[in-house]
Amino acid sequence: MLSTHAIYLNDLLGLSNLENVKIKFNQWNTEEDPIDVFQANPELINNQWLFWRNQKRYFNVNDVAINLVRVKGDIYLLTTVKLVTEELGVIHGINYAGKELKRYRPLYGRVLIKYHKDFQASVVNAESKLEKLVVSQVLPDVYKNDGFPGYDSVCLSYQQLKLVLEKNKSEWITALSNQKAVYLIRDVSNGKLYVGSATSKNGMLLDRWRSYISNGHGGNKCLQELIKEAGFEYVKKNFQYSILENYNSRVDDSFILRRESWWKKVFDSRNKKFGYNEN
């Protein structure tokens, strides 16, 4: 009978003394997606992103640093494990030097980890976390970005959507350019929702979302008022974009608009307590 027990990252690494082991979680920053950076330049992720320091000292000499890069959702990729060999005394820069542990080299870029990160810190002690990092998959080769995840799996922050569009990622552009849709914008700071539609009249999904990246409001009255009061930076910090329903270009606009109205009713997004829809 096959075992159903989970395999954890340390089952692969076999680290016995965890007191000097730390884990670095690399996630989106305001400009770059770390998984894109890893694919373009692994050394950048495994040195600059791993060993960058602001005010706080993250590592000490002889620490073991495990570097994880967020792929999507709760999935992370193991990119390197390094022994910290030197502290450089740099603030707001690369503050450490490290030596890659060669015995783990076959695992780098190939082990996908599932872990729900519910804390702000990017570097944590491994003692309380390592045994919770579940091995989701060991890939036959180094990870390659799958591109567009499917319409029902799109959930992007403003910065993530901006990056996708500015980098002109071909799979995303193709998927969004010829689609009509009913989409959802969520304000993560207060839970308020905005339901919108993409049609041949007001712009297909790609055009609509480009307008939000450009000005934050896409021409919508309530969102314009919000930006006037709170500023564009509020949108950049708090807005999240997803797709409720998508349709090909042959579907009549009137049907899309009826579905949009239905979702406004479902979410009660015309109610100023719950949403940003004006009508």
Side-chain angles (χ1 to χ4, degrees), residues 151-259:
Y151 298 103
D152 58 351
S153 298
V154 173
C155 185
L156 301 175
S157 68
Y158 175 92
Q159 296 295 347
Q160 290 171 330
L161 180 58
K162 182 174 183 286
L163 192 61
V164 162
L165 298 183
E166 285 187 345
K167 287 197 171 184
N168 207 35
K169 292 188 176 182
S170 59
E171 290 188 25
W172 281 85
I173 299 302
T174 300
L176 300 179
S177 61
N178 295 312
Q179 287 292 304
K180 297 181 179 182
V182 180
Y183 55 84
L184 184 70
I185 300 177
R186 177 172 175 260
D187 184 337
V188 299
S189 73
N190 57 26
K192 286 188 176 184
L193 304 173
Y194 175 85
V195 177
S197 63
T199 63
S200 56
K201 183 178 180 179
N202 67 5
M204 306 296 264
L205 188 54
L206 179 62
D207 294 328
R208 292 300 298 139
W209 280 9
R210 274 179 170 161
S211 70
Y212 289 113
I213 294 306
S214 173
N215 57 36
H217 56 72
N220 301 298
K221 183 178 178 180
C222 286
L223 298 183
Q224 287 175 326
E225 292 174 353
L226 176 67
I227 290 174
K228 186 176 181 180
E229 294 173 4
F232 197 1
E233 290 302 316
Y234 180 89
V235 167
K236 294 178 180 180
K237 181 180 179 181
N238 295 302
F239 274 28
Q240 184 182 79
Y241 305 81
S242 58
I243 300 171
L244 295 172
E245 299 178 1
N246 70 286
Y247 300 93
N248 64 49
S249 59
R250 296 187 299 274
V251 175
D252 193 85
D253 282 358
S254 62
F255 177 79
I256 308 296
L257 296 176
R258 289 197 298 272
R259 296 304 298 163

Side-chain angles (χ1 to χ4, degrees), residues 79-214:
T79 63
T80 194
V81 181
K82 286 187 173 182
L83 177 68
V84 179
T85 57
E86 184 180 0
E87 184 170 345
L88 306 177
V90 176
I91 299 178
H92 301 299
I94 301 172
N95 185 48
Y96 310 94
K99 181 179 180 181
E100 189 173 75
L101 299 184
K102 293 182 180 180
R103 63 182 178 275
Y104 301 129
R105 187 167 289 171
L107 303 178
Y108 300 152
R110 295 179 54 202
V111 178
L112 292 173
I113 303 298
K114 185 173 183 179
Y115 179 74
H116 180 66
K117 184 175 180 289
D118 57 1
F119 48 86
Q120 292 294 322
S122 61
V123 179
V124 296
N125 293 324
E127 285 183 285
S128 62
K129 308 297 181 184
L130 195 56
E131 298 301 334
K132 298 178 182 178
L133 300 177
V134 177
V135 175
S136 172
Q137 189 177 0
V138 178
L139 302 172
D141 204 345
V142 174
Y143 174 84
K144 294 181 180 179
N145 194 342
D146 292 328
F148 185 70
Y151 298 103
D152 58 351
S153 298
V154 173
C155 185
L156 301 175
S157 68
Y158 175 92
Q159 296 295 347
Q160 290 171 330
L161 180 58
K162 182 174 183 286
L163 192 61
V164 162
L165 298 183
E166 285 187 345
K167 287 197 171 184
N168 207 35
K169 292 188 176 182
S170 59
E171 290 188 25
W172 281 85
I173 299 302
T174 300
L176 300 179
S177 61
N178 295 312
Q179 287 292 304
K180 297 181 179 182
V182 180
Y183 55 84
L184 184 70
I185 300 177
R186 177 172 175 260
D187 184 337
V188 299
S189 73
N190 57 26
K192 286 188 176 184
L193 304 173
Y194 175 85
V195 177
S197 63
T199 63
S200 56
K201 183 178 180 179
N202 67 5
M204 306 296 264
L205 188 54
L206 179 62
D207 294 328
R208 292 300 298 139
W209 280 9
R210 274 179 170 161
S211 70
Y212 289 113
I213 294 306
S214 173

Side-chain angles (χ1 to χ4, degrees), residues 56-74:
K56 186 175 181 180
R57 177 182 284 106
Y58 294 115
F59 300 106
N60 297 302
V61 174
N62 292 324
D63 278 351
V64 172
I66 298 173
N67 205 33
L68 300 180
V69 169
R70 184 178 180 272
V71 175
K72 60 181 178 180
D74 293 337

